[in-house]
Amino acid sequence: MKNKNLKNAAFFTFFFLILILASACKEEPSTRYFKAMDTFMILKAYGNKAETALAISENEIKKLEETISVTLDGSDIYEINNSPEKEIFVQKDTLEILNFAKSIFEETDGSLNPALYPVVHEWGFTSGEYKIPSQEKINSLLKNTDFLKIQIDEKACSVKIPDGMKIDLGALGKGFAGDKAAEILRKKGIKSALLDLGGNIQAVGSKPDGSEWKVGVRNPEGGDACARICVKDCAVITSGGYERFFVGEDGKTYIHIFDPKTGRPVENDFESVTIISKSGLYADSLSTALFVAGLEKATEFWRKKQNFDFIIITKGKKIFCTAGIKEKTDFSQEFEVSFVEK
Ligand code: AMP
Ligand code: MG
């Protein structure tokens, strides 16, 4: 009898151990869904400190939005735009993003230009009231878009813009927000998290089982992803013409990514540009800048820098990507893939 009880006890102990082990293996992530920076964000993280760390990250993203929003009265960017020729004291984050934007502006021959805001606004992309402005209007607005005329005083942490200029960090702010959120999670000891900031992906570490995150690149025509890339500890950020566009009275499609040289929406055969890099700020800046630059200049820029990877999808179901990602990417059979070599 005693022996049978012992056997039962051993069986139940073993059974519970298996249950505990199984639930540990299938650990569920903590998740936060919220709206910020004009988009939906989903932050997922694993580990017992995930809940608190995610709450702090969400808070930080919302705080950053209040600092760099172009529309929010009282934000740094709002103050700068509404007080031209006046020295405006700003947060360190604002200064860091503006400095970074200036360096990318210079390196990409002005393809990324935050001072293009009045032009983008005139076409209706900030209000949804789309229109094709007259060439005269475009030309007059383009006169105030020399971003190098912005004065950044690092010591004083202040910024001054010339009269007529207005800036917007919409092309790179979300990338910076992803960096900040990821940094908080890492500092809080999180080893595994995946942050989706409106399609901008930021991976912290790898999956809880140690394998890499698989991030899909959207098929411009819908349906299954056209590529799935395995990554850890990096940002995967896409600029897509399909994200926002309108069809004009002339029947042509006008997308939300602008060529700063012409003051008009980019007209090339790109559907999207995805950048994979350690820094979200860099990836976000380049996804926009290289969309403007086109395939030849994007390739030239990559050969010079070699500190990021790209996946460019063009019309006619073609994919051009850097050779380094060949081994870690699955491509949809529907697309013709070409690899760009060093
Ligand atoms: P993204 O989705 O990161 O490519 O950012 C595109 C957004 O940045 C647009 O919706 C515009 O508000 C703004 N934008 C468009 N073209 C440019 C450009 N060439 N440089 C800087 N910002 C731009
Ligand atoms: Mg961008």
Side-chain angles (χ1 to χ4, degrees), residues 42-94:
I42 308 166
L43 314 184
K44 272 182 201 215
Y46 292 83
N48 51 14
K49 293 183 201 146
E51 202 77 41
T52 333
L54 285 181
I56 302 170
S57 289
E58 177 180 336
N59 210 30
E60 193 64 30
I61 292 172
K62 290 181 172 166
K63 226 172 75 192
L64 181 71
E65 181 183 16
E66 285 171 15
T67 307
I68 64 168
S69 161
V70 68
T71 48
L72 214 64
D73 193 345
S75 80
D76 281 352
I77 300 300
Y78 188 92
E79 291 299 314
I80 294 168
N81 285 346
N82 287 286
S83 317
E85 292 186 335
K86 197 173 149 203
E87 183 180 17
I88 303 295
F89 295 94
V90 298
Q91 301 283 324
K92 268 172 88 176
D93 285 344
T94 309

Side-chain angles (χ1 to χ4, degrees), residues 111-114 116 120 168 170-172 238-239 243-244 256-260 284 287-288 292:
S111 291
L112 178 88
N113 185 354
L116 208 64
V120 178
D168 167 40
L172 67 167
T238 301
S239 283
E243 284 164 354
R244 225 160 345 125
H256 71 119
I257 301 164
F258 277 67
D259 183 342
D284 203 1
S287 67
T288 311
V292 176

Side-chain angles (χ1 to χ4, degrees), residues 3 13 15 60 81 101 147 156 184 201 212 295:
N3 204 7
T13 313
F15 180 72
E60 193 64 30
N81 285 346
F147 190 54
I184 288 167
I201 304 295
E212 293 191 326
L295 188 58

